Amino acid sequence: ALSASSPATKSMAAETIGLFNPSSAESAIEPLAACLLDSDRQVSAAAGRTLGRLGEPVVPHLIPALESDSTQARTNAAIAASLIGPPAEPTIGYLADGLQSADPALRKAASEALGSIGAAAAKPTVAALRKAEETASQDAAVSAHELIGQPSLEPLLAGLKDKTWSKRFWACIALGRIGLPEPQVVEALQAAAKDSDTNVSAYAMRALRDLGI
């Protein structure tokens, strides 16, 4: 059914496979991964949701979609990675690249997937934040840090020492949104509140208020 010519049939087949026990559906992983690249929106989306439910064995099969030029395929592969969580660690580099996309759905899916993967995604997400030049991409990276939480603190604190004011600025925003008033965070933000750049100092003070300081 996954190779049917009718998009409705393929979409229904993909959704139905998701109802099976993951171990009994492993033979469907490869054709489902091919469906991520289907031009039909519903087929690709159904494949992404079902692949996510099938767990860790799916991860290598997400790579072709994540490497593709199709924003739709990349978005649905990211959704699958988000559902899989920490075992989807091999997709981190592709997801970090997704944060730079002009497409809001892909940015959101990539951000949520990085957050779901957790600690292993912290440093690559900081690197993506430093690399990002568009506000939407920077905000998507911050959203990922918010989901990652504690493991993002150390690389973000290092970001407060960056030579570029905008990198220090976004590190302040991320630390405020994570919302963990740990001593080293408070100390670093209090120092940043005296930054020579007024944007950085203003947002460091705002982050401190967000932390209840």
Side-chain angles (χ1 to χ4, degrees):
L2 289 173
S3 59
S5 59
S6 165
T9 301
K10 284 197 285 189
S11 178
M12 186 177 297
E15 294 284 10
T16 302
I17 292 167
L19 302 176
F20 298 154
N21 184 301
S23 61
S24 65
E26 285 192 11
S27 62
I29 290 175
E30 194 168 332
L32 278 168
C35 285
L36 285 172
L37 293 159
D38 197 283
S39 59
D40 185 87
R41 179 177 58 83
Q42 292 185 340
V43 172
S44 180
R49 291 191 295 270
T50 297
L51 286 165
R53 295 186 193 108
L54 298 181
E56 186 170 2
V58 162
V59 175
H61 300 272
L62 298 179
I63 304 304
L66 290 168
E67 288 180 331
S68 76
D69 293 330
S70 167
T71 299
Q72 175 177 275
R74 293 171 68 198
T75 299
N76 290 316
I79 289 170
S82 182
L83 292 168
I84 293 167
E89 182 177 344
T91 66
I92 286 175
Y94 302 102
L95 297 169
D97 287 344
L99 296 176
Q100 315 296 333
S101 173
D103 184 85
L106 176 52
R107 289 197 307 271
K108 182 175 185 293
S111 176
E112 290 176 353
L114 290 164
S116 178
I117 291 168
K123 288 184 178 179
T125 304
V126 167
L129 179 56
R130 290 176 179 168
K131 177 182 176 182
E133 296 182 359
E134 300 296 328
T135 300
S137 295
Q138 292 162 332
D139 190 62
V142 169
S143 294
H145 283 303
E146 201 171 354
L147 293 168
I148 294 168
Q150 171 79 35
S152 283
L153 295 183
E154 183 179 343
L156 284 171
L157 289 171
L160 287 178
K161 300 175 182 178
D162 197 284
K163 294 180 180 180
T164 306
W165 75 267
S166 62
K167 313 308 180 189
R168 302 195 301 276
F169 170 80
W170 281 100
C172 289
I173 292 176
L175 289 166
R177 279 172 53 178
I178 290 172
L180 294 174
E182 298 194 359
Q184 69 270 30
V185 174
V186 173
E187 182 180 349
L189 286 171
Q190 286 174 333
K194 300 173 184 176
D195 196 282
S196 58
D197 186 277
T198 56
N199 292 296
V200 175
S201 60
Y203 270 82
M205 288 186 282
R206 178 173 174 173
L208 287 165
R209 288 197 298 272
D210 290 342
L211 298 178
I213 305 301

